[in-house]
Amino acid sequence: MHINYDIYSIDSIIYAYIIFSLSNSAFLSEAFRAGLGTVPKGQYEAAVVSGLSNFQSYRRIIIPQAITALLPVLCTNITSLIKMTSLSFSMAVFDVTAIAKVEASLNLSFIEAYLDITVIYVILCVIVELIFKLIETRVKAHRALI
């Protein structure tokens, strides 16, 4: 194709964004499909009969009901994405794992470095799970009012 472009001039973090975006988009699209599948077809039909457009029926009726089924899967995908970021070191991106490995090699304290990484990842994942727990309780409380 004779394209004169140096792909090595692109920053490695861009490659990491592309790889993680492509890998998670497949899981997220399946999660959204499954979440939309939990809503009965009668809900959509009732919205159309009420005079709502296709966009309005999805925005006001279908998606709010699908979110309750989607939130646990979304939380799992985000926590797995956080854990997958340790793989970005293989693409020459210096993340928490890379910094810990470099520091551990200087002091020969690999156990402490890996324990630090474990604590950091556990704290990040617990924070994400707590945020989603709050969102789920808010969505369930809102749904109880309907």
Side-chain angles (χ1 to χ4, degrees), residues 26-52:
F27 293 116
L28 289 176
S29 65
E30 182 63 26
F32 278 104
R33 187 202 59 79
L36 290 174
T38 62
V39 180
K41 288 187 177 187
Q43 296 289 332
Y44 176 73
E45 292 169 358
V48 170
V49 168
S50 300
L52 295 176

Side-chain angles (χ1 to χ4, degrees), residues 58-121:
Y58 269 96
R59 192 179 123 237
R60 294 183 179 178
I61 307 294
I62 307 297
I63 292 176
Q65 292 180 32
I67 284 177
T68 57
L70 177 68
L71 281 176
V73 179
L74 189 61
C75 179
T76 303
N77 283 340
I78 289 176
T79 54
S80 68
L81 177 64
I82 290 171
K83 292 183 268 186
M84 281 179 16
T85 57
S86 64
L87 299 174
S88 63
F89 180 58
S90 63
M91 293 181 273
V93 175
F94 278 95
D95 65 330
V96 175
T97 307
I99 294 169
K101 284 182 180 181
V102 169
E103 291 296 321
S105 66
L106 294 175
N107 301 330
L108 296 176
S109 56
F110 288 99
I111 293 175
E112 293 87 355
Y114 289 130
L115 285 175
D116 291 342
I117 294 171
T118 304
V119 168
I120 289 170
Y121 279 122

Side-chain angles (χ1 to χ4, degrees), residues 10-19 93:
I10 300 174
D11 193 13
S12 58
I13 191 78
I14 302 297
Y15 289 121
Y17 287 147
I18 292 170
I19 295 298
V93 175

